């Protein structure tokens, strides 16, 4: 990357319409914090949209939550249930990584936001540690009612053509207040605070000082002008310590008073008493005697930090280490790195690069524009640039100012409006993987401690990225194998429209056994088949290939006989894997279809007048169980304009929903869809499936419509 350039951020749709439901819920239940996550169609990531009562720096760790992750929000959506964690012990038992990142006493509930079978996201609520370990009945009812309200808001917005989308940053809403104060009362309150012994100040939920008395400023050794609006550690480096940060986080999350003693250099001890509520923290500051080492850890006096504090980085990096162990593919790793590294080190942009075929390829970025990334993507590894040099040398480079960068690389041209940069090599097991660039809007003197933390972080990222690239390679190989076993194209049959969709599950790298096929037997005779081999592994894929071969070998016989022959073949193979299948023969000249099923979900038939029925086929045993199993045939009319829908169970299996109910709902979707184009109808069906069920199983869909 020869130079650096400015990166812009986009804007998202407003989500303020969700505020009323969240505020009402918090008033009804006494919850001290609330989060609303949105799930976009086709995505498997929950995106934080609205928050109340949560500090931004804590929420930054959870702005994107993969559905595959083990968190209360993702479990609630994936399993369509209310998740309740009543105390620290229960948190550690069910979510150990979350407990490690936030080791404070509080209670939390998470529930899916849904309307009917359609999932929209999740509601997460937090209660103070004083809350009973069980969720009260009225609170449980309020959670469900609030999820219904939020779901209706989201559905109405989507139906109107203006869906609510998460913005580039979560919308932090004002904290709920019991009453409002006028100017006269504000002055009286300030005078009251000034008359109290010692000193006091107020922090907002993000930890910034919003009010401070003269006595408190004197005790802290700084002017009120410098302190107002600042994070204490930014102005008072002796408070930049994980111990102090831990007390602040404990007060915010548990809503319980806490205190600590700190040494103001060179020899003055101060006691801090923190009193939290949903709007922030009141702090009382007073002189104190030296605290015994066994009771209160001394807060040492470090050199003035460059922005981020050690305390903030400490918690973010603990969370990064925990979450990277759950990251799956490269995209997942990139998202988690960007979400956590930028706030941890208070950087404004990053670019992640890998060495590939003699070039440095940009595989992820945040805070930069796509145009700039395109310009620098593919820099030769032979070029003399900061990103290449740190990769080849294995030594990081830090530039506090552009002048520093210019001295090291005279050809450098400032293009991004940034003021400081860190170039970090990504090396694992002695092998270079890539480079990471962090950029800052302001001058940033990197302390020796921060350089060490950044370098260690780069090693952690390198290992996660290396594992993710290997996973992606195996995933691509598995799905390439699966695609090779499915028909590349289906035969074109005069008088017949066909549309297919195949969606492999995005979890894991195993190969599924879903298949479909269409065989042109004669001028007006067509065979169709769809099925699902049990399991997700190479054996399932191999058996799926054998079943497809057997279907082709026996096609032309009556459907019941075709299934019986395949059943005997699979029984003889003794694979311990069973297969469901629907096989049918379409007679286009007579406008009829004959179908038989082996334990497969029933086909749907949308009539020309658009009403849709679930076909009442008599189910036979799964293939491969009993060699003497019998498969009864059902003859149905298939007039021109009717649509026969064959599908696998991934389309209708929804956690917590009866499969018959989900099948009826799918039939209703076919009835409501006004699409005349079969491809558009297939897209509508798949879109509905993705909205109603973040699928954990493969989905195969075959739509067939005869025409004159």
């Amino acid at each position: 990357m020869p130079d650096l350039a400015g990166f812009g951020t986009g804007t998202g749709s407003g989500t303020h319409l969700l505020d009323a439901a969240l505020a009402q819920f918090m008033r009804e239940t006494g919850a001290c914090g609330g989060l609303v996550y949105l799930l976009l169609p086709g995505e498997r990531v929950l995106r934080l949209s609205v928050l109340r009562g949560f500090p931004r720096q804590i929420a930054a760790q959870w702005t994107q939550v993969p559905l595959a992750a083990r968190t209360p929000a993702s479990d609630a959506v994936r399993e369509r249930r209310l998740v309740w964690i009543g105390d620290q012990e229960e948190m550690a038992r069910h979510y150990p990584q979350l407990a490690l990142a936030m080791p404070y006493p509080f209670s939390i509930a998470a529930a899916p936001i849904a309307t009917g079978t359609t999932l929209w996201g999740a509601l997460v609520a937090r209660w103070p540690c004083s809350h009973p370990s069980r969720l009260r009945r009225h609170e449980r009812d309020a959670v469900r009612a609030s999820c219904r309200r939020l779901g209706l808001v989201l559905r109405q917005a989507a139906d109107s053509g203006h869906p609510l989308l998460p913005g580039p940053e979560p919308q932090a809403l004002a904290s709920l207040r019991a009453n409002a104060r006028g100017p006269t009362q504000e002055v009286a309150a300030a005078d009251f605070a000034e008359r109290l012994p010692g000193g006091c100040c107020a922090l907002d939920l993000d930890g910034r000082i919003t009010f401070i008395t003269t006595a408190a400023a004197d005790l802290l050794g700084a002017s009120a002008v410098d302190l107002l609006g600042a994070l204490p550690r930014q102005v008072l480096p002796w408070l930049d310590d994980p111990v102090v940060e831990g007390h602040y986080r404990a007060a915010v999350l548990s809503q319980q008073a806490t205190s600590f003693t700190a040494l103001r250099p060179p020899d003055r001890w101060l006691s801090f008493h923190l009193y939290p509520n949903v709007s922030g923290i009141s702090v009382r500051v007073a002189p104190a005697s030296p605290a015994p080492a066994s009771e209160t850890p001394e807060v040492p006096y470090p050199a003035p930090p460059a922005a981020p504090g050690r305390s903030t980085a400490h918690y973010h990096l603990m969370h990064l280490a925990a979450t990277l162990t759950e990251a799956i593919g490269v995209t997942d790793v990139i998202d988690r790195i960007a979400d956590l590294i930028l706030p941890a080190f208070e950087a404004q942009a990053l670019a992640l690069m890998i060495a590939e075929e003699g070039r440095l390829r940009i595989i992820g970025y945040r805070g930069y524009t796509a145009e700039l990334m395109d310009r620098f993507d593919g820099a030769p590894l032979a070029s003399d640039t900061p990103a290449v040099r740190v990769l080849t040398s294995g030594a990081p480079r830090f530039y506090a100012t552009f002048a520093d960068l210019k001295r090291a690389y005279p050809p450098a041209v400032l293009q991004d409006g940034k003021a400081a940069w860190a170039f970090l090599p990504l090396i694992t097991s002695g092998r270079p993987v890539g480079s990471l660039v962090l950029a800052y809007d302001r001058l940033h003197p990197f302390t020796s401690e921060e350089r060490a933390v950044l370098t260690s972080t780069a090693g952690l990222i390198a290992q996660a990225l290396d594992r993710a690239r290997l996973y992606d390679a195996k995933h691509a190989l598995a799905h390439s194998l699966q695609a090779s076993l499915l028909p590349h194209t289906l035969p074109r049959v005069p008088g017949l429209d066909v549309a297919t969709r195949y969606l492999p599950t995005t979890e894991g790298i195993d190969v599924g056994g879903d298949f479909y096929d269409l065989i042109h037997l004669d001028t007006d005779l067509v065979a169709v088949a769809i099925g699902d081999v049990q399991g997700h592994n190479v054996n399932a894929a191999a058996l799926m290939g054998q079943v497809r071969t057997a279907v082709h070998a026996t096609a032309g016989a009556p459907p019941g006989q075709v299934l019986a022959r395949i059943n005997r073949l699979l029984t003889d193979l003794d694979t311990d894997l069973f297969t469901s299948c629907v096989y049918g023969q379409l007679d286009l000249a007579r406008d009829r279809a004959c179908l038989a099923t082996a334990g497969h979900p029933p086909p749907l038939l949308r009539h020309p007048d658009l009403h849709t029925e679930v076909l009442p086929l008599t189910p036979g045993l799964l293939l491969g169980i009993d060699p003497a199993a019998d498969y009864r045939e059902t003859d149905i009319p298939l007039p021109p304009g009717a649509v026969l829908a064959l599908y696998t169970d991934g389309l209708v299996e929804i956690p917590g929903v009866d499969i018959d109910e989900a099948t009826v709902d799918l039939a209703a979707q076919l009835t409501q869809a006004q699409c005349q184009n079969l491809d558009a109808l297939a897209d509508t069906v798949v879109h509905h499936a993705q909205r109603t069920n973040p699928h954990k199983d493969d989905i195969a869909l075959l739509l067939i419509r005869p025409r004159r």
Side-chain angles (χ1 to χ4, degrees):
M1 187 170 173
D3 298 310
L4 300 173
F7 298 160
T9 57
T11 58
S13 300
T15 53
H16 60 280
L17 295 177
L18 305 176
D19 181 29
L22 182 58
Q24 181 179 345
F25 166 76
M26 292 177 65
R27 284 193 299 269
E28 291 175 349
T29 62
C32 56
L35 305 172
V36 176
Y37 284 93
L38 297 183
L39 177 64
L40 300 183
E43 288 197 354
R44 295 189 57 79
V45 175
L46 292 168
R47 300 184 184 277
L48 181 57
S49 180
V50 175
L51 67 151
R52 273 185 181 271
F54 277 89
R56 291 177 184 269
Q57 60 172 291
I58 294 178
Q61 303 172 8
W62 312 101
T63 55
Q64 296 187 57
V65 179
L67 283 179
R70 284 282 296 149
T71 70
S74 54
D75 283 358
V77 173
R78 200 172 55 246
E79 300 170 13
R80 288 177 172 260
R81 66 180 178 92
L82 173 64
V83 174
W84 169 252
I85 302 296
D87 52 38
Q88 277 183 289
E89 183 179 346
E90 192 173 3
M91 179 71 78
R93 188 166 60 250
H94 294 287
Y95 303 100
Q97 293 184 352
L98 184 60
L100 176 65
M102 295 194 294
Y104 312 111
F106 61 90
S107 301
I108 193 169
I113 299 171
T115 53
T117 58
T118 301
L119 282 169
W120 299 98
L123 168 67
V124 178
R126 174 176 56 86
W127 282 267
C129 64
S130 57
H131 189 282
S133 60
R134 288 183 173 272
L135 190 63
R136 302 181 182 98
R137 181 173 179 178
H138 81 276
E139 293 168 336
R140 186 180 297 271
D141 292 341
V143 169
R144 290 170 175 159
S146 296
C147 287
R148 285 195 295 271
R149 284 194 293 267
L150 290 165
L152 289 174
V153 169
L154 291 163
R155 188 183 71 183
Q156 291 169 2
D159 291 346
S160 69
H162 301 285
L164 297 183
L165 304 174
E169 298 292 336
Q171 182 181 355
L173 303 171
S175 299
L176 299 172
R177 295 179 182 273
N179 49 54
R181 301 292 185 185
T184 303
Q185 290 173 303
E186 290 178 358
V187 172
D191 291 340
F192 168 80
E194 288 286 356
R195 290 191 291 268
L196 292 174
C200 58
C201 64
L203 308 178
D204 63 17
L205 285 177
D206 292 322
R208 297 184 181 278
I209 299 174
T210 57
F211 170 82
I212 189 166
T213 63
T214 304
D218 290 342
L219 286 169
L220 296 175
S223 70
V225 174
D226 292 335
L227 290 168
L228 282 173
L231 295 170
R233 62 176 172 76
Q234 292 177 329
V235 182
L236 309 169
W238 48 277
L239 287 178
D240 179 28
D241 188 271
V243 172
V244 176
E245 179 74 7
H247 283 286
Y248 156 73
R249 287 173 175 249
V252 169
L253 293 176
S254 70
Q255 292 290 286
Q256 188 174 40
T258 184
S259 62
F260 63 91
T261 303
L263 173 64
R264 171 191 157 189
D267 56 6
R268 188 166 191 181
W269 286 90
L270 299 174
S271 65
F272 295 82
H273 302 267
L274 282 62
Y275 304 95
N277 74 357
V278 295
S279 64
I281 299 179
S282 296
V283 182
R284 185 163 184 267
V285 187
S289 302
S294 60
E295 294 180 8
T296 304
E298 177 181 335
V299 179
Y301 176 55
R310 295 183 299 141
S311 52
T312 301
H314 170 78
Y315 286 99
H316 279 284
L317 293 180
M318 282 181 61
H319 184 57
L320 176 66
T323 56
L324 283 182
T325 62
E326 291 186 342
I328 301 176
V330 170
T331 300
D332 195 13
V333 169
I334 292 170
D335 287 341
R336 298 188 188 214
I337 290 170
D339 289 341
L340 297 176
I341 291 297
L342 291 180
F345 294 101
E346 297 184 3
Q348 283 68 55
L350 68 78
L352 192 62
M353 295 157 280
I354 60 170
E356 187 176 82
E357 297 179 349
R359 294 183 177 275
L360 207 53
R361 297 290 183 186
I362 297 174
I363 59 171
Y365 57 91
R366 185 73 62 85
Y368 284 136
T369 62
E371 292 77 11
L372 180 66
M373 293 293 91
D374 289 341
R375 192 182 312 162
F376 293 124
D377 187 27
L381 293 181
S383 59
D384 185 21
T385 65
V388 171
R389 185 178 293 183
V390 298
L391 175 63
T392 56
S393 68
R397 296 287 187 272
F398 302 94
Y399 303 101
T401 66
F402 178 67
D404 294 340
L405 178 63
K406 189 74 173 176
R407 277 192 295 272
Y409 298 92
V413 177
L414 182 62
Q415 302 181 55
D416 65 351
K418 303 301 180 190
W421 302 266
F423 291 85
L424 306 168
L426 303 180
I427 299 175
T428 178
S429 301
R431 179 171 52 87
V433 177
S435 300
L436 173 66
V437 179
L438 290 177
Y440 299 79
D441 285 342
R442 298 180 179 179
L443 305 183
H444 191 95
F446 296 91
T447 65
S448 58
E449 182 179 26
E450 186 180 6
R451 294 182 185 213
V453 173
L454 281 169
T455 303
S456 299
T457 302
L460 183 67
I461 291 171
Q463 294 176 25
L465 188 60
D466 199 38
R467 290 194 304 269
R469 292 178 69 190
L470 179 60
Y471 174 91
D472 282 350
K474 291 182 178 179
H475 189 270
L477 179 62
H479 285 288
S480 175
L481 171 61
Q482 191 164 38
S484 68
L485 294 173
L486 292 170
H488 296 289
T489 59
L490 295 179
R492 300 178 66 87
V493 179
L496 197 67
D497 293 330
V498 179
T500 62
R501 295 293 183 271
Y502 182 79
L503 281 73
T505 178
T506 54
E507 291 187 8
I509 60 174
D510 292 326
V511 187
D514 291 26
F515 67 92
Y516 59 84
D517 219 332
L518 185 143
I519 306 165
H520 195 180
L521 301 172
D522 203 348
T523 304
D524 296 316
L525 209 58
V526 178
V528 295
I530 194 162
D532 184 3
V533 178
Q534 177 189 38
H536 279 79
N537 50 46
V538 175
N539 293 334
L543 186 59
M544 180 256 279
Q546 291 174 305
V547 172
R548 280 198 62 226
T549 301
V551 168
H552 277 261
T554 57
Q561 293 184 27
V562 170
L563 291 182
R565 293 173 186 175
I566 299 173
N567 176 56
R568 287 193 292 272
L569 169 66
L570 297 188
T571 306
D572 291 342
L573 290 175
D574 192 23
T575 63
D576 292 329
L577 295 177
F578 306 129
T579 303
S580 70
C581 183
V582 167
Y583 178 87
Q585 191 164 285
L586 315 182
D587 189 336
L588 303 182
R590 297 176 54 244
D591 296 336
R592 307 292 296 181
C594 184
L595 303 168
T597 178
H600 198 79
L604 305 178
L605 181 64
R606 189 174 88 162
H607 294 270
D609 65 359
L610 300 187
H611 91 271
T612 304
E613 66 173 316
V614 181
L615 294 177
L617 305 188
T618 302
L621 283 176
L622 292 170
L623 303 175
I625 296 178
D626 180 3
D630 180 55
Y631 300 94
R632 296 179 57 182
E633 299 170 356
T634 301
D635 195 62
I636 64 167
L638 188 63
V643 176
L644 180 64
L646 307 176
Y647 55 93
T648 54
D649 56 9
L651 197 64
V652 290
E653 280 192 344
I654 302 172
V657 178
D658 181 78
I659 193 168
D660 292 335
E661 179 185 338
T663 303
V664 170
D665 180 67
L666 179 62
Q669 290 297 318
L670 280 173
T671 297
Q672 295 168 13
Q674 300 298 314
C675 314
Q676 294 302 315
N677 180 277
L678 212 57
D679 279 312
L681 182 60
D683 289 337
T684 299
V685 172
V686 168
H687 173 81
H688 173 70
Q690 291 174 323
R691 173 62 80 184
T692 57
N693 181 27
H695 63 284
K696 299 174 70 173
D697 196 5
D698 297 348
I699 291 176
L701 173 67
L702 178 60
L703 299 182
I704 300 167
R705 180 175 59 193
R707 53 181 166 81
R708 293 296 184 192

